[in-house]
Amino acid sequence: MFIIGELINGMYANIGKAIREKNKAEIQKCALEQIKCGADALDVNCGPASKEPITDIQWLVEAIQEVTDVPLSLDSSKPQVIESGLKAARNKVIINSVTADPDKLDILVPMAKRHNAKLIGLTISAKGIPKDKDQRLELAATIVADCLDKGFPVEDLFLDPIVLPVNFAQAQMKDILDSIHEFKIISDPSPKTIVGLSNVSQGTNARSLVNRTFLTMAAAYGLDAAILDPLDKDLMDAQITAELILNKHIYCDSFLSAYRKK
């Protein structure tokens, strides 16, 4: 599974403070810790409190690239912020994210194609969060069709079914898992699938347990990638073990330490 570390986000107090004070060391430490714990890429988000997100995201990208060349997932709801981060990026980039709204698709799909970036598509629209699997599939098909029309390679698209907190939307959990499986048969080649994992445990008292249980179940439904906290050792071990059981790793008695090292 492709792991995107979620911790370089201005909504976290330490990262928000580092952005305000332009403290590269704190950002670089967070980047390297996540990679050491198994992150394949790093999400980069200035956070809602940033007063200058266009310059802040450039600063973040430049600071991270001084210490690592892993792909960066540029995370913003504002296309101009994404564009600013792309200008600073030297390495592979993921655009996080586009929705099924035509105005967003018309800006971000060509932007991803222009910059040879991968793209995360959220199955959400101006009407709000989908209420069931059928609505998720309809929105996913809209995103895939738009990518095909614009010549964007669908194999570089990650579809996100929008994971909701289990304490708020428990009845939707099975639909979300089914959507992960069914997204893969929308087109050939098929899009990849991704979740923002921490959403599922938002507001619960056992966040790590809820996260790792959902992740292992999602892996069985064919999940390709997740944005998560790689510093949660139990979560990362659960992901490795799930893929072992799914025959994606070769068993040995020391499989955890072996696959932690990749």
Side-chain angles (χ1 to χ4, degrees):
M1 188 177 296
F2 188 75
I3 301 298
I4 303 177
E6 70 180 9
L7 299 179
I8 301 178
N9 189 316
M11 73 176 188
Y12 295 112
N14 64 320
I15 300 300
K17 182 181 179 184
I19 293 171
R20 289 191 302 274
E21 297 178 355
K22 296 296 181 281
N23 180 354
K24 282 186 182 181
E26 182 68 24
I27 301 299
Q28 292 168 347
K29 175 186 174 188
C30 184
L32 294 174
E33 283 178 344
Q34 292 184 90
I35 294 165
K36 182 180 179 181
C37 291
D40 302 296
L42 300 172
D43 202 55
V44 182
N45 188 325
C46 300
S50 171
K51 294 180 180 179
E52 300 289 343
I54 289 175
T55 55
D56 283 346
I57 197 163
Q58 284 196 349
W59 177 81
L60 281 170
V61 168
E62 289 164 359
I64 296 164
Q65 288 181 156
E66 287 181 5
V67 295
T68 181
D69 60 0
V70 301
L72 301 182
S73 171
L74 304 180
D75 189 352
S76 176
S77 60
K78 299 175 180 178
Q80 62 270 34
V81 176
I82 298 288
E83 183 85 67
S84 178
L86 286 165
K87 289 176 181 176
R90 299 192 305 267
N91 304 311
K92 293 181 180 178
V93 175
I94 303 161
I95 293 177
N96 184 12
S97 54
V98 70
T99 67
D101 292 318
D103 57 338
K104 290 289 182 70
L105 289 165
D106 286 345
I107 295 171
L108 290 167
V109 174
M111 187 186 296
K113 185 179 176 183
R114 219 166 37 242
H115 290 274
N116 196 29
K118 297 184 187 297
L119 181 64
I120 294 174
L122 306 180
T123 53
I124 191 171
S125 70
K127 295 179 181 179
I129 295 170
K131 293 181 171 56
D132 56 34
K133 180 182 68 175
D134 290 341
Q135 289 184 7
R136 286 179 166 84
L137 287 169
E138 181 180 349
L139 293 168
T142 297
I143 296 170
V144 169
D146 193 86
C147 288
L148 290 170
D149 286 345
K150 291 182 169 69
F152 179 81
V154 174
E155 58 269 33
D156 287 341
L157 173 67
F158 291 82
L159 288 174
D160 185 337
I162 307 295
V163 175
L164 300 171
V166 67
N167 61 350
F168 168 74
Q170 186 173 352
Q172 288 204 43
M173 294 299 111
K174 182 62 166 58
D175 266 7
I176 292 168
L177 291 168
D178 284 338
S179 296
I180 291 168
H181 172 71
E182 296 195 24
F183 285 174
K184 305 304 284 285
I185 56 175
I186 288 176
S187 66
D188 183 16
S190 63
K192 295 181 175 62
T193 51
I194 192 169
V195 295
L197 183 66
S198 296
N199 290 342
V200 74
S201 66
Q202 192 72 41
T204 69
N205 292 327
R207 296 204 64 180
S208 179
L209 175 60
V210 172
N211 287 342
R212 65 180 180 267
T213 302
F214 184 88
L215 186 65
T216 55
M217 293 180 73
Y221 279 77
L223 185 68
D224 296 298
I227 303 171
L228 52 74
D229 176 4
L231 274 55
D232 183 337
K233 181 174 174 293
D234 290 339
L235 173 64
M236 296 298 286
D237 284 353
Q239 177 259 323
I240 291 169
T241 306
E243 295 205 317
L244 181 82
I245 291 170
L246 291 168
N247 199 32
K248 294 183 178 181
H249 298 314
I250 298 172
Y251 179 82
C252 63
D253 288 344
S254 57
F255 71 90
L256 283 175
S257 59
Y259 291 110
R260 282 191 202 119
K261 294 175 185 175
K262 296 194 175 183

